[in-house]
């Protein structure tokens, strides 16, 4: 473990490199895969909620994707999509899709029978019920999935870079600098990744408080 002063020196002397690695890993690989994977999970959950046939057919497929080991799929995605950020985004999509899907499916079923009967009393259509009742009721579950996926997306992008990357990226830099025993740079990259993941999670959590302010759990935290 290098002394804190040495790690600070690594930050001061490699600021441009650390920023370039962060852009490659987080903004290109992790964030793009997060957006695509979570959006796909939400849309699939809506389709599953609409059709029992799709529920029986798509949930096992999602479970299969979630069970794939990242150390086995990452090299395959690199061969398929190349050494750029696209292969890292593909790994992230595979990692975040199922957690988002499961949370959203559970959330879409969270409204109770009395609420659904009330919408029927108002002669609401399926999509009116979806946008005015089902989706708002599912928001706490959706944000639970989104928060889980913040961590998974960054981990997936970093691990994927160990199996092939251009000459930048947090995972690439950690792998390279460990081989050179430059542990001060390795710890600087680890700190960058940890801080980025924490900020990312905090932004999603702050969005949750703004969107689901009506939920009892949020009201309780605000009151305390």
């Amino acid at each position: 473990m290098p002394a804190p002063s040495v790690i600070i020196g690594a930050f001061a002397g490699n600021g441009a490199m650390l920023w370039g690695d962060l852009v490659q890993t987080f903004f290109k690989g992790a964030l793009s895969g997060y957006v695509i994977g979570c959006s796909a999970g939400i849309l699939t959950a809506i389709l599953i909620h609409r059709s029992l046939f799709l529920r029986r057919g798509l949930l096992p497929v999602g479970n299969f994707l979630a069970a794939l080991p990242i150390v086995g799929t990452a090299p395959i995605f690199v061969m398929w999509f190349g050494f750029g950020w696209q292969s890292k985004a593909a790994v992230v999509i595979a990692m975040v899709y199922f957690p988002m899907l499961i949370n959203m499916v559970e959330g879409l079923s969270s409204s109770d029978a009395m609420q659904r009967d009330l919408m029927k009393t108002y002669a609401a259509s399926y999509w009116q019920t979806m946008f005015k009742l089902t989706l708002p009721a599912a928001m706490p579950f959706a944000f639970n999935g989104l928060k889980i996926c913040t961590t998974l997306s960054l981990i997936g992008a970093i691990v994927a870079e160990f199996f092939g990357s251009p000459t930048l990226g947090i995972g690439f830099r950690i792998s390279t600098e460990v081989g050179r025993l430059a542990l001060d740079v390795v710890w600087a990259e680890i700190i960058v990744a940890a801080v980025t993941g924490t900020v990312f999670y905090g932004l999603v959590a702050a969005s949750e408080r703004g969107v689901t302010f009506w939920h009892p759990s949020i009201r309780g935290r605000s009151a305390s």
Side-chain angles (χ1 to χ4, degrees):
M1 178 70 182
S5 58
V6 177
I7 298 176
I8 293 173
F11 272 106
N14 300 282
M17 181 188 72
L18 294 172
W19 173 251
D21 292 340
L22 177 63
V23 169
Q24 176 69 22
T25 300
F26 177 71
F27 290 103
K28 292 184 177 181
L31 190 58
S32 59
Y34 175 87
V35 171
I36 296 171
C38 290
S39 299
I42 292 172
L43 293 176
T44 306
I46 293 174
L47 292 175
I48 288 175
H49 178 74
R50 177 72 168 169
S51 170
L52 180 61
F53 173 77
L54 292 177
R55 177 189 292 265
R56 292 173 176 172
L58 293 179
L59 281 182
V61 175
N63 187 34
F64 173 79
L65 290 176
L68 294 175
I70 183 175
V71 294
T73 56
I76 296 173
F77 283 131
V78 169
M79 287 188 290
W80 284 353
F81 299 103
F83 290 96
W85 62 267
Q86 293 87 349
S87 58
K88 317 310 175 290
V91 172
V92 173
I93 291 170
M95 289 187 67
V96 305
Y97 174 75
F98 187 67
M100 191 69 238
L101 173 64
I102 290 299
N103 277 278
M104 197 64 190
V105 168
E106 187 68 22
L108 292 174
S109 304
S110 62
S111 58
D112 58 46
M114 184 176 295
Q115 292 171 325
R116 293 192 294 271
D117 288 341
L118 180 62
M119 296 301 292
K120 291 179 182 178
T121 302
Y122 291 149
S125 66
Y126 172 83
W127 290 110
Q128 286 175 323
T129 303
M130 173 64 71
F131 286 110
K132 295 181 181 298
L133 172 62
T134 310
L135 280 179
M139 284 299 101
F141 294 85
F143 275 101
N144 186 52
L146 290 172
K147 288 188 292 186
I148 292 172
C149 292
T150 57
T151 304
L152 291 177
S153 63
L154 192 56
I155 292 174
I158 291 174
V159 172
E161 287 177 346
F162 280 89
F163 298 95
S165 176
T167 57
L168 71 166
I170 294 175
F172 167 81
R173 195 72 57 192
I174 290 174
S175 177
T176 302
E177 299 302 327
V178 163
R180 297 172 53 197
L181 297 180
L183 297 184
D184 54 339
V185 177
V186 171
W187 277 102
E189 294 280 0
I190 291 173
I191 292 171
V192 167
V195 171
T196 302
T198 302
V199 172
F200 189 21
Y201 181 93
L203 290 174
V204 175
S207 301
E208 178 187 22
R209 295 178 69 90
V211 173
T212 62
F213 60 90
W214 49 267
H215 196 265
S217 62
I218 301 299
R219 294 205 310 268
R221 274 182 277 171
S222 301
S224 60

